[in-house]
Amino acid sequence: DQQVKQNSPSLSVQEGRISILNCDYTNSMFDYFLWYKKYPAEGPTFLISISSIKDKNEDGRFTVFLNKSAKHLSLHIVPSQPGDSAVYFCAAGDNAGNMLTFGGGTRLMVKP
Amino acid sequence: DADVTQTPRNRITKTGKRIMLECSQTKGHDRMYWYRQDPGLGLRLIYYSFDVKDINKGEISDGYSVSRQAQAKFSLSLESAIPNQTALYFCATSDNGPRPQHFGDGTRLSIL
């Protein structure tokens, strides 16, 4: 049973608009969450993280929101750029720094 | 030079062959991980090591073994490859505690 789920396998957005990628988790022990971006033929690259003591974390165009009661996190990209086209993975772990559990990924396509 | 280097980048082999995938890092991290990626399933953990004398099974360790030769080197072996082990394999490293993992560029393995 997947403990971390990304229910949208793909998302298409116009350049300049907002991209919203969603992720749900089931394990209430998770308290550290990350987003990774992956281009073809490259490894996943860390994008942004959030601890469960926060509900929002921003880094430039990227903002991650965490709703603990709903066990849901989202990544907002504003404004979206064609170079953001990639597969995005969410991941969850515990604050002891043990293993991460990854979602299945969402392919984002930003159209010029 | 890449911080996390995986060799080979691509490998095609036959059922029953023994294969070794290698990973080396220059980040000075104690923790190293091996994942496999299959379409729609995200990254699943095969084995992880928190230091040179520590080896732990992950979610899908059957059919695989690992060796941590030094802090900087962590290799993954398939003793007798089978076609359903065809996948993209990633090595990752991290600092201790809740820290992002840093990935290599992967090995695309095909077993005929």
Side-chain angles (χ1 to χ4, degrees):
Chain A
D1 191 26
Q2 283 189 296
Q3 297 187 68
V4 179
K5 281 188 179 177
Q6 295 175 252
N7 289 319
S8 298
S10 64
L11 175 67
S12 182
V13 170
Q14 205 66 36
E15 180 178 6
R17 306 294 290 267
I18 185 171
S19 295
I20 300 176
L21 295 96
N22 294 303
C23 180
D24 297 298
Y25 64 95
T26 57
N27 189 338
S28 57
M29 299 301 290
F30 290 148
D31 52 14
Y32 176 59
F33 304 89
L34 309 90
W35 284 95
Y36 283 82
K37 178 168 72 173
K38 184 183 180 304
Y39 292 121
E42 295 183 11
T45 303
F46 169 69
L47 205 51
I48 192 168
S49 64
I50 188 167
S51 167
S52 60
I53 61 173
K54 292 185 166 184
D55 54 18
K56 177 182 173 181
N57 189 26
E58 270 184 276
D59 184 0
R61 295 185 298 114
F62 302 91
T63 303
V64 56
F65 294 91
L66 176 63
N67 182 333
K68 281 189 66 181
S69 60
K71 294 190 176 66
H72 177 82
L73 66 154
S74 60
L75 175 69
H76 292 207
I77 306 173
V78 185
S80 301
Q81 299 173 353
D84 295 330
S85 297
V87 177
Y88 290 78
F89 292 100
C90 66
D94 60 48
N95 265 323
N98 295 319
M99 301 80 70
L100 296 179
T101 301
F102 285 81
T106 295
R107 182 178 301 279
L108 173 66
M109 292 162 283
V110 180
K111 297 180 179 178
Chain B
D1 282 345
D3 295 322
V4 183
T5 302
Q6 292 185 234
T7 56
R9 291 296 315 276
N10 292 282
R11 178 81 186 268
I12 301 173
T13 191
K14 293 182 178 179
T15 298
K17 295 289 188 182
R18 183 179 188 274
I19 302 155
M20 180 180 288
L21 309 183
E22 301 194 13
C23 177
S24 63
Q25 52 121 343
T26 58
K27 297 188 76 69
H29 291 161
D30 284 329
R31 297 184 173 190
M32 297 187 74
Y33 311 81
W34 275 104
Y35 291 90
R36 67 177 273 175
Q37 184 192 358
D38 298 280
L41 294 179
L43 292 101
R44 292 183 292 164
L45 185 63
I46 306 172
Y47 270 95
Y48 63 101
S49 169
F50 283 179
D51 65 44
V52 174
K53 295 181 182 179
D54 176 74
I55 300 288
N56 302 282
K57 292 183 177 181
E59 179 188 353
I60 52 164
S61 59
D62 286 350
Y64 301 94
S65 62
V66 291
S67 172
R68 183 83 184 264
Q69 300 93 325
Q71 187 208 34
K73 295 185 182 295
F74 192 35
S75 59
L76 175 73
S77 294
L78 289 69
E79 295 301 326
S80 179
I82 56 177
N84 75 2
Q85 291 177 312
T86 292
L88 201 47
Y89 288 84
F90 289 102
C91 173
T93 74
S94 73
D95 268 327
N96 297 335
R99 296 285 188 274
Q101 294 179 12
H102 301 268
F103 287 80
D105 283 337
T107 295
R108 184 171 295 280
L109 179 62
S110 297
I111 300 162
L112 307 177

PDB file of all heavy atoms in Angstrom, chain A residues 6 30 39 42 67 70 76 101 104:
ATOM      1  N   GLN A   6       0.850  10.532  -5.302  1.00  0.00           N
ATOM      2  CA  GLN A   6       0.639  11.687  -6.155  1.00  0.00           C
ATOM      3  C   GLN A   6      -0.398  11.253  -7.178  1.00  0.00           C
ATOM      4  O   GLN A   6      -0.098  10.458  -8.066  1.00  0.00           O
ATOM      5  CB  GLN A   6       1.952  12.124  -6.820  1.00  0.00           C
ATOM      6  CG  GLN A   6       2.981  12.613  -5.818  1.00  0.00           C
ATOM      7  CD  GLN A   6       4.311  12.928  -6.464  1.00  0.00           C
ATOM      8  OE1 GLN A   6       5.275  12.197  -6.282  1.00  0.00           O
ATOM      9  NE2 GLN A   6       4.360  14.034  -7.211  1.00  0.00           N
ATOM     10  N   PHE A  30       5.087  10.505   9.642  1.00  0.00           N
ATOM     11  CA  PHE A  30       5.876  11.374   8.767  1.00  0.00           C
ATOM     12  C   PHE A  30       5.851  12.795   9.294  1.00  0.00           C
ATOM     13  O   PHE A  30       4.779  13.335   9.617  1.00  0.00           O
ATOM     14  CB  PHE A  30       5.322  11.373   7.342  1.00  0.00           C
ATOM     15  CG  PHE A  30       5.523  10.094   6.587  1.00  0.00           C
ATOM     16  CD1 PHE A  30       4.581   9.686   5.647  1.00  0.00           C
ATOM     17  CD2 PHE A  30       6.647   9.308   6.779  1.00  0.00           C
ATOM     18  CE1 PHE A  30       4.756   8.512   4.931  1.00  0.00           C
ATOM     19  CE2 PHE A  30       6.830   8.135   6.066  1.00  0.00           C
ATOM     20  CZ  PHE A  30       5.873   7.733   5.140  1.00  0.00           C
ATOM     21  N   TYR A  39      14.822  15.711 -14.317  1.00  0.00           N
ATOM     22  CA  TYR A  39      14.882  15.805 -15.771  1.00  0.00           C
ATOM     23  C   TYR A  39      15.272  14.445 -16.342  1.00  0.00           C
ATOM     24  O   TYR A  39      15.921  13.639 -15.656  1.00  0.00           O
ATOM     25  CB  TYR A  39      15.918  16.839 -16.202  1.00  0.00           C
ATOM     26  CG  TYR A  39      15.569  18.269 -15.859  1.00  0.00           C
ATOM     27  CD1 TYR A  39      16.416  19.037 -15.053  1.00  0.00           C
ATOM     28  CD2 TYR A  39      14.417  18.879 -16.346  1.00  0.00           C
ATOM     29  CE1 TYR A  39      16.124  20.354 -14.741  1.00  0.00           C
ATOM     30  CE2 TYR A  39      14.109  20.196 -16.036  1.00  0.00           C
ATOM     31  CZ  TYR A  39      14.973  20.918 -15.236  1.00  0.00           C
ATOM     32  OH  TYR A  39      14.673  22.224 -14.929  1.00  0.00           O
ATOM     33  N   GLU A  42      18.781  12.306 -15.833  1.00  0.00           N
ATOM     34  CA  GLU A  42      19.458  12.861 -14.665  1.00  0.00           C
ATOM     35  C   GLU A  42      18.823  12.290 -13.407  1.00  0.00           C
ATOM     36  O   GLU A  42      17.703  11.774 -13.425  1.00  0.00           O
ATOM     37  CB  GLU A  42      19.345  14.387 -14.631  1.00  0.00           C
ATOM     38  CG  GLU A  42      20.063  15.078 -15.772  1.00  0.00           C
ATOM     39  CD  GLU A  42      19.989  16.580 -15.645  1.00  0.00           C
ATOM     40  OE1 GLU A  42      19.571  17.080 -14.573  1.00  0.00           O
ATOM     41  OE2 GLU A  42      20.345  17.268 -16.607  1.00  0.00           O
ATOM     42  N   ASN A  67      -0.676  20.599   5.052  1.00  0.00           N
ATOM     43  CA  ASN A  67      -1.906  20.527   5.844  1.00  0.00           C
ATOM     44  C   ASN A  67      -1.878  19.201   6.588  1.00  0.00           C
ATOM     45  O   ASN A  67      -2.208  18.151   6.036  1.00  0.00           O
ATOM     46  CB  ASN A  67      -3.119  20.613   4.914  1.00  0.00           C
ATOM     47  CG  ASN A  67      -4.432  20.598   5.683  1.00  0.00           C
ATOM     48  OD1 ASN A  67      -4.521  20.047   6.787  1.00  0.00           O
ATOM     49  ND2 ASN A  67      -5.450  21.189   5.117  1.00  0.00           N
ATOM     50  N   ALA A  70      -5.142  17.117   7.094  1.00  0.00           N
ATOM     51  CA  ALA A  70      -5.598  16.431   5.877  1.00  0.00           C
ATOM     52  C   ALA A  70      -4.548  15.477   5.330  1.00  0.00           C
ATOM     53  O   ALA A  70      -4.807  14.770   4.345  1.00  0.00           O
ATOM     54  CB  ALA A  70      -5.964  17.456   4.803  1.00  0.00           C
ATOM     55  N   HIS A  76       3.627  24.835  -5.059  1.00  0.00           N
ATOM     56  CA  HIS A  76       3.181  25.880  -5.963  1.00  0.00           C
ATOM     57  C   HIS A  76       4.389  26.481  -6.662  1.00  0.00           C
ATOM     58  O   HIS A  76       5.391  26.816  -5.988  1.00  0.00           O
ATOM     59  CB  HIS A  76       2.441  26.983  -5.201  1.00  0.00           C
ATOM     60  CG  HIS A  76       1.134  26.527  -4.635  1.00  0.00           C
ATOM     61  ND1 HIS A  76       0.090  27.402  -4.403  1.00  0.00           N
ATOM     62  CD2 HIS A  76       0.676  25.306  -4.261  1.00  0.00           C
ATOM     63  CE1 HIS A  76      -0.938  26.739  -3.912  1.00  0.00           C
ATOM     64  NE2 HIS A  76      -0.607  25.470  -3.812  1.00  0.00           N
ATOM     65  N   THR A 101      10.131   7.982   1.924  1.00  0.00           N
ATOM     66  CA  THR A 101       9.184   7.269   1.085  1.00  0.00           C
ATOM     67  C   THR A 101       8.726   8.223   0.005  1.00  0.00           C
ATOM     68  O   THR A 101       8.316   9.357   0.310  1.00  0.00           O
ATOM     69  CB  THR A 101       7.975   6.783   1.911  1.00  0.00           C
ATOM     70  OG1 THR A 101       8.438   5.917   2.953  1.00  0.00           O
ATOM     71  CG2 THR A 101       7.000   6.021   1.032  1.00  0.00           C
ATOM     72  N   GLY A 104       4.722   8.546  -6.576  1.00  0.00           N
ATOM     73  CA  GLY A 104       4.962   8.026  -7.911  1.00  0.00           C
ATOM     74  C   GLY A 104       5.363   9.061  -8.951  1.00  0.00           C
ATOM     75  O   GLY A 104       5.746   8.705 -10.061  1.00  0.00           O
TER      76      GLY A 104
END
